[in-house]
Amino acid sequence: MRTQIAIIGSGPAGLLLGQLLTNAGIDNIILERTTKEHVLSRIRAGVLEEGTAAMLDTTGAGGRMHSESLPHDGFDITFDGRRHRVDLFELTGKRVIIYGQTELTHDLMDKREASEALSVYEAANVQPHDFESGRPHVTYEKDGKVHRIDCDFIAGCDGYHGISRKAVPEKAIETFERAYPFGWLGIIADVPPVGDELVYANHPRGFALCSMRTPTRSRYYVQVPADEKIENWSDERFWDEIRRRLPEGTAEAMITGPSVEKSIAPIRSFVAEPLRFGRLFLAGDAGHIVPPTGAKGLNLAASDVNYLFDAFHEFYLENSSDGIEAYSQKALARVWKAERFSWWMTTTLHRFPDQGTFGQKIQHAELDYLFQSRAALTMLAENYVGLPY
Ligand code: RFL
Ligand code: PHB
């Protein structure tokens, strides 16, 4: 088989890239390790930047997002028993959009099926080859046979645990990492959200977040130790804990119910440099991870894809390699700013075991300052709604 771009991974990065390429008449094949149902069963991001939503629109898959998403003009931060609003729209003229990653992925998969571009699910042992040469190819196994796809370029959109980054020789790649001493225990419940907007809580017992998917489906998180076991968390314990971390009025307004999903996500910051190795490109979680506190992971996958699609478009339709040469540098410049913001949100809102009383006082002063200074609050707001591409 031959294609122009072989895409590894059918998450948001791979699907967005695939659809933009297909719409531009650039041939591509997506290879996905698991099944469509498995990809859709993963509960992840909920907050889209306007730029990400605009990209979904550009692919032609934005219809359902327009009718079902919830635009948010702001969110709240609570500390010291008080609730403070961050008015994103007033501070930046922009809002964010609540639309689950599952829904976005679903819409892109439907669009891809309608366009008849090829996606191979349950492709085992996917392996990129010869990407440092002019003749890259990818092999995979399916139904007991080894298949080979010859291509011009390989897009590694296979997430943090994927094969693309691992296929790069160690001496060609540098990685930067920070692991945090906590995880997020998250649940989904079919109950109305506690309010119209998200609530991020800094509390002596640890961080908590009240989010949502729809007016009848809530998403809640609490900070737990990194080695915490999910079996220790009954629904009752979860609801009891999150209520304790919220101001009285908010806790009282919370409607509880049985969880339909419950899991613990590790929290880390990670960047690989560069993001291009000859004819192999990394995009999305394959190249970088952010802690979810700033809601940036999926949005960064989208901005990488924006640069990468432009690069391929320039190559095939304008006969120029400039975009390809510049991809890594352009994408990393935006990635590092989102890394900084996500690290800052995480540091400001979580309890750290080794923080001590000095650290707590500094954190408190930081939050106090934030709500006394329009400049400080604007810094938060313009990062949260998304920096320009
Ligand atoms: P994905 O979604 O991990 O998709 C990668 C795909 O590649 C496949 N794959 C392979 N395929 C073939 N061969 C291999 N060897 C393969 N190895 C892996 C996988 O099966 C998968 O289908 O990466 P992508 O596309 O880069 O998308 C990134 C986002 O998923 C991620 O950044 C976000 O979910 C992060 N995130 C959030 N981001 C936001 O922008 N806003 C949020 O509100 C937000 N909340 C979150 C989050 C992530 C969370 N978790 C669980 C880590 C909340 C949480 C709890
Ligand atoms: C979510 O709804 O899953 C969510 C929202 C905001 C975040 C992280 C996750 O910062």
Side-chain angles (χ1 to χ4, degrees):
M1 243 185 313
R2 186 176 160 83
T3 189
Q4 287 172 300
I5 319 282
I7 300 173
I8 307 178
S10 184
L15 286 163
L16 272 173
L17 179 64
Q19 200 55 47
L20 292 170
L21 291 170
T22 300
N23 292 354
I26 303 170
D27 196 41
N28 62 92
I29 296 175
I30 296 184
L31 298 174
E32 166 60 46
R33 183 169 50 86
T34 66
T35 61
K36 186 177 169 178
E37 292 67 33
H38 181 81
V39 175
L40 289 173
S41 71
R42 290 188 292 230
I43 310 285
R44 288 182 162 190
V47 179
L48 308 186
E49 296 172 1
E50 285 181 358
T52 306
M55 275 181 74
L56 189 64
D57 258 342
T58 308
T59 65
R64 202 162 62 97
M65 173 184 70
H66 282 285
S67 55
E68 294 182 15
S69 66
L70 306 169
H72 279 197
D73 286 358
F75 64 86
D76 281 357
I77 292 181
T78 69
F79 67 102
D80 254 2
R82 281 172 295 135
R83 225 167 132 157
H84 305 261
R85 184 154 189 268
V86 181
D87 192 331
L88 297 170
F89 192 71
E90 199 262 325
L91 290 159
T92 67
K94 292 183 182 152
R95 23 177 81 93
V96 291
I97 291 127
I98 304 298
Y99 194 60
Q101 179 167 329
T102 313
E103 308 312 317
L104 174 140
T105 308
H106 210 300
D107 297 344
L108 285 165
M109 282 178 169
D110 286 353
K111 182 81 186 162
R112 188 165 179 91
E113 269 167 31
S115 72
E116 292 177 16
L118 181 61
S119 287
V120 181
Y121 289 99
E122 296 180 272
N125 282 330
V126 174
Q127 193 65 48
H129 304 273
D130 291 346
F131 43 85
E132 294 291 358
S133 79
R135 297 175 59 82
H137 65 279
V138 181
T139 54
Y140 67 97
E141 291 167 26
K142 170 114 184 164
D143 302 329
K145 283 197 212 113
V146 178
H147 302 261
R148 171 179 169 137
I149 301 176
D150 290 288
C151 56
D152 298 334
F153 299 102
I154 303 168
C157 301
D158 47 353
Y160 181 70
H161 299 288
I163 186 64
S164 301
R165 194 181 65 252
K166 291 180 194 136
V168 174
E170 233 173 82
K171 61 179 180 0
I173 193 165
E174 195 173 357
T175 57
F176 305 86
E177 191 159 12
R178 169 156 304 184
Y180 299 86
F182 42 76
W184 278 19
L185 166 61
I187 70 157
I188 293 249
D190 283 323
V191 291
V194 70
D196 292 339
E197 294 182 341
L198 270 57
V199 182
Y200 289 81
N202 171 302
H203 190 272
R205 295 182 68 87
F207 170 79
L209 170 60
C210 309
S211 181
M212 66 192 72
R213 289 293 176 273
T214 69
T216 54
R217 177 164 268 210
S218 299
R219 178 74 164 144
Y220 289 110
Y221 297 98
V222 292
Q223 171 188 348
V224 292
D227 56 0
E228 186 60 75
K229 298 273 173 292
I230 194 81
E231 307 81 75
N232 296 338
W233 287 83
S234 64
D235 287 358
E236 291 65 34
R237 181 173 175 205
F238 182 89
W239 292 119
D240 183 49
E241 185 60 38
I242 194 164
R243 276 207 183 101
R244 286 173 174 225
R245 298 184 187 190
L246 296 168
E248 224 171 88
T250 313
E252 276 164 13
M254 182 175 273
I255 301 171
T256 63
S259 64
V260 292
E261 204 267 350
K262 196 189 285 164
S263 56
I264 297 180
I267 305 293
R268 67 166 79 83
S269 302
F270 172 87
V271 183
E273 291 194 8
L275 295 175
R276 173 188 157 224
F277 310 88
R279 288 176 173 253
L280 169 69
F281 299 80
L282 302 181
D285 279 13
H288 39 76
I289 294 286
V290 284
T293 330
K296 288 283 155 259
L298 168 59
N299 292 302
L300 274 186
S303 65
D304 284 357
V305 165
N306 175 71
Y307 298 127
L308 191 53
F309 169 68
D310 282 355
F312 290 145
H313 193 268
E314 267 180 59
F315 182 84
Y316 288 109
L317 288 103
E318 294 163 37
N319 220 355
S320 160
S321 299
D322 291 355
I324 282 177
E325 297 295 333
Y327 168 70
S328 181
Q329 197 200 345
K330 266 196 191 169
L332 283 169
R334 194 171 187 280
V335 164
W336 273 113
K337 291 186 196 88
E339 289 285 346
R340 183 209 70 84
F341 174 65
S342 304
W343 162 84
W344 176 82
M345 281 282 277
T346 305
T347 310
T348 305
L349 293 174
H350 289 73
R351 278 297 132 140
F352 287 72
D354 59 354
Q355 173 171 48
T357 47
F358 179 81
Q360 280 169 28
K361 291 275 182 194
I362 293 289
Q363 198 183 60
H364 190 272
E366 175 109 40
L367 284 163
D368 228 12
Y369 169 62
L370 194 63
F371 291 100
Q372 282 164 8
S373 159
R374 189 179 168 90
L377 210 52
T378 305
M379 181 287 287
L380 191 172
E382 72 181 6
N383 280 277
Y384 194 86
V385 299
L387 297 176
Y389 287 2

